[in-house]
Amino acid sequence: MKGQEKNQENTRSLSEVNQSVAVPESASFWRTLKAFIGPGALVAVGYMDPGNWITSVVGGASYKYLLLSVVLISSLMAMQLQQMAGKLGIVTRQDLAQATANHLPKWLRYILFVVIELALMATDLAEVIGSGIALHLLFGWPLMISVFITILDVFILLSLMKLGFRKIEAVVSTLIITILLIFLYLTLISQPSISGILKGFLPSASIFDLHQTGDNSKLTLALGIIGATVMPHNLYLHSSISQTRRVDYENPDSVRQAVRFMTWDSNIQLSLAFIVNSLLLILGAALFYGHASQISAFAQMYNALADPSIAGSVASGFLSTLFAVALLASGQNSTITGTLTGQIVMEGFIHLRLPQWFIRLVTRLLALLPVILATLIWGGKEKVLAQLIVYSQVFLSLALPFSIFPLIYFTSSKKLMGQHRNARWNTILAYGVALVLTLLNIKLIIDLL
């Protein structure tokens, strides 16, 4: 019996922090919520990483406030899917990778493993380029040296893990607030159109213009925003870190409470991510509309904020510095969650337990390969690297259905979820979302070809 318990312990997702955070019993709503707040912050990070910046800001600069409706719909989709992911982890005590390995055919498991690994590389690519460019802008270091310095962030996570999971949550939350305040300030001084913003949140059929193609077509940018907002790797991450709270599985009320407060945590944090993503697009519309070709890269955005001919009377070097600080904070935040997800995917899909530093180093080196190739072919131009980010986000949108369909399938199963399975309307809605995304992605591939 003891051996069986030990084996179960070893197979728990992120076993070093699983069930490590105590939750007060019979406490008030706010005290209980305080104990559960945290995992949602790590999930929200993926919704405001450097990959969002290019697509959202260029979306605003190209079509003003039109694509705000895409940001809103993407955020609502994210809330629905992340709630399912967190619930899967709490109820089944398996993350999405483990559930896939345990309940789907082996051939399908390996296909999904390859897709999510490629998605992790695409996510890490945006973090590498974003953090590298931020260091380049802030300190003037050569761009490629700055990109290679990002390898050192492996040791940042390893140090944080030794301090406990709550410390990681605190660091991530602090960086999120920093990003939020910076973009709130930048947006306020840009004096956006309130009526334009409100109108932009209403969906428009013109987004699906079939006669428009190219890198900055409405549909390409819309799918880029979706890919940058609803992140495939976040579903795996949330299904794991939702298990960090201590739950009494002998008591059904304790499980229900955990699911309820996980949902509160997730929705609160994703609401903050929605605000940040909206601010990014609004900033692009208010300051850079008509200058989309001049701000299609981070350095161009940085310089534009100090250029009166583009940013107008608000232009200043101080705004540029704030932008670079937010970019660095975003990249470092995403580094933390990317490392954790790499471990979750590796252990869950193929039951391979490797040191965190090794997983992180391999993932980071793989993400550097496209950057190195771009440097050898095009000379490492910052605009080329920014275009790599845009296409990495489009790939994430293409990879998204491969994570959504298994998630919906598992959380709709009475055998796996019992009384916590999805309501019928929720399942139908989720499958509808996944199907629409898949059809849009097919159209995107045809357009790109």
Side-chain angles (χ1 to χ4, degrees):
M1 184 69 177
K2 287 183 179 180
Q4 192 176 22
E5 289 177 0
K6 185 177 181 181
N7 184 57
Q8 184 182 7
E9 181 74 26
N10 290 335
T11 58
R12 285 182 183 175
S13 185
L14 293 180
S15 57
E16 61 270 32
V17 293
N18 196 289
Q19 300 285 303
S20 64
V21 180
V23 175
E25 295 181 13
S26 304
S28 66
F29 173 86
W30 294 109
R31 191 178 165 207
T32 307
L33 180 61
K34 182 181 176 182
F36 276 93
I37 285 284
L42 274 73
V43 171
V45 163
Y47 294 85
M48 58 180 86
D49 74 336
N52 294 59
W53 295 35
I54 296 292
T55 47
S56 293
V57 177
V58 171
S62 300
Y63 303 108
K64 228 163 186 181
Y65 305 105
L66 177 69
L67 298 180
L68 277 174
S69 59
V70 178
V71 176
L72 175 60
I73 292 170
S74 298
S75 298
L76 293 174
M77 286 165 48
M79 289 180 183
Q80 180 194 31
L81 295 172
Q82 293 298 162
Q83 194 273 344
M84 289 183 183
K87 181 173 67 173
L88 176 71
I90 292 172
V91 175
T92 68
R93 306 187 76 177
Q94 301 175 71
D95 59 52
L96 182 56
Q98 291 173 328
T100 300
N102 294 335
H103 302 289
L104 294 183
K106 184 177 287 188
W107 64 269
L108 182 55
R109 181 213 309 181
Y110 286 117
I111 290 175
L112 296 177
F113 171 68
V114 171
V115 171
I116 188 59
E117 281 292 343
L118 291 173
L120 281 171
M121 283 178 59
T123 303
D124 213 40
L125 175 67
E127 295 160 11
V128 166
I129 296 175
S131 295
I133 291 174
L135 292 171
H136 167 66
L137 296 175
L138 285 171
F139 304 110
W141 300 334
L143 180 56
M144 290 313 298
I145 290 177
S146 298
V147 167
F148 277 98
I149 285 175
T150 62
I151 294 175
L152 299 176
D153 62 25
V154 174
F155 303 104
I156 295 175
L157 180 82
L158 294 177
S159 301
L160 287 173
M161 286 295 281
K162 293 178 181 177
L163 297 176
F165 202 72
R166 288 295 266 177
K167 296 294 190 301
I168 293 179
E169 294 171 350
V171 170
V172 167
S173 296
T174 301
L175 291 174
I176 287 175
I177 296 300
T178 301
I179 296 167
L180 175 63
L181 292 177
I182 287 174
F183 278 112
L184 185 60
Y185 174 71
L186 291 175
T187 303
L188 287 175
I189 65 170
S190 70
Q191 299 181 322
S193 165
I194 301 302
S195 60
I197 292 171
L198 294 176
K199 185 179 178 181
F201 282 120
L202 299 176
S204 170
S206 66
I207 293 173
F208 306 100
D209 185 356
L210 298 177
H211 302 290
Q212 192 179 29
T213 59
D215 293 342
N216 287 344
S217 72
K218 294 173 187 175
L219 183 60
T220 300
L221 284 172
L223 283 172
I225 290 172
I226 292 172
T229 304
V230 185
M231 306 286 278
H233 77 277
N234 262 343
L235 303 177
Y236 293 87
L237 177 67
H238 201 190
S239 63
S240 175
I241 61 177
S242 64
Q243 300 176 56
T244 55
R245 270 45 185 181
R246 204 167 296 158
V247 177
D248 179 7
Y249 281 92
E250 301 297 323
N251 182 358
D253 290 336
S254 180
V255 178
R256 274 194 294 270
Q257 174 184 265
V259 172
R260 177 190 175 202
F261 282 96
M262 172 278 298
T263 304
W264 273 99
D265 172 42
S266 178
N267 288 344
I268 289 171
Q269 306 285 3
L270 289 178
S271 295
L272 291 178
F274 162 68
I275 293 172
V276 170
N277 284 326
S278 297
L279 291 175
L280 283 164
L281 195 142
I282 291 168
L283 183 67
L287 279 189
F288 304 134
Y289 182 65
H291 301 278
S293 62
Q294 296 170 265
I295 52 95
S296 59
F298 290 123
Q300 289 179 313
M301 293 180 193
Y302 175 86
N303 293 326
L305 285 168
D307 186 349
S309 67
I310 297 179
S313 59
V314 302
S316 73
F318 175 66
L319 297 186
S320 295
T321 301
L322 283 180
F323 175 84
V325 169
L327 181 59
L328 184 60
S330 177
Q332 291 309 299
N333 248 352
S334 299
T335 282
I336 294 172
T337 57
T339 302
L340 292 173
T341 309
Q343 180 182 346
I344 292 163
V345 168
M346 193 71 72
E347 293 179 359
F349 271 103
I350 57 178
H351 310 301
L352 186 61
R353 298 181 65 87
L354 295 170
Q356 276 191 338
W357 66 267
F358 182 78
I359 293 174
R360 184 58 185 165
L361 196 58
V362 170
T363 306
R364 177 51 53 95
L365 289 174
L366 288 173
L368 282 172
L369 281 178
V371 181
I372 294 171
L373 289 175
T375 302
L376 293 174
I377 298 171
W378 294 289
K381 294 179 181 178
E382 200 264 340
K383 189 172 182 179
V384 173
L385 298 183
Q387 199 61 37
L388 278 177
I389 293 181
V390 173
Y391 281 111
S392 74
Q393 301 312 298
V394 173
F395 175 78
L396 289 175
S397 184
L398 298 176
L400 190 55
F402 291 90
S403 297
I404 294 180
F405 279 109
L407 175 67
I408 302 170
Y409 172 73
F410 294 138
T411 52
S412 302
S413 168
K414 186 174 183 180
K415 181 180 178 181
L416 278 178
M417 304 295 293
Q419 62 178 308
H420 298 283
R421 67 173 174 170
N422 299 331
R424 188 172 181 81
W425 66 266
N426 197 12
T427 300
I428 294 172
L429 180 62
Y431 274 127
V433 165
L435 184 61
V436 168
L437 273 175
T438 303
L439 293 175
L440 287 176
N441 287 329
I442 291 172
K443 183 194 180 304
L444 176 65
I445 292 172
I446 294 172
D447 284 350
L448 290 177
L449 292 175

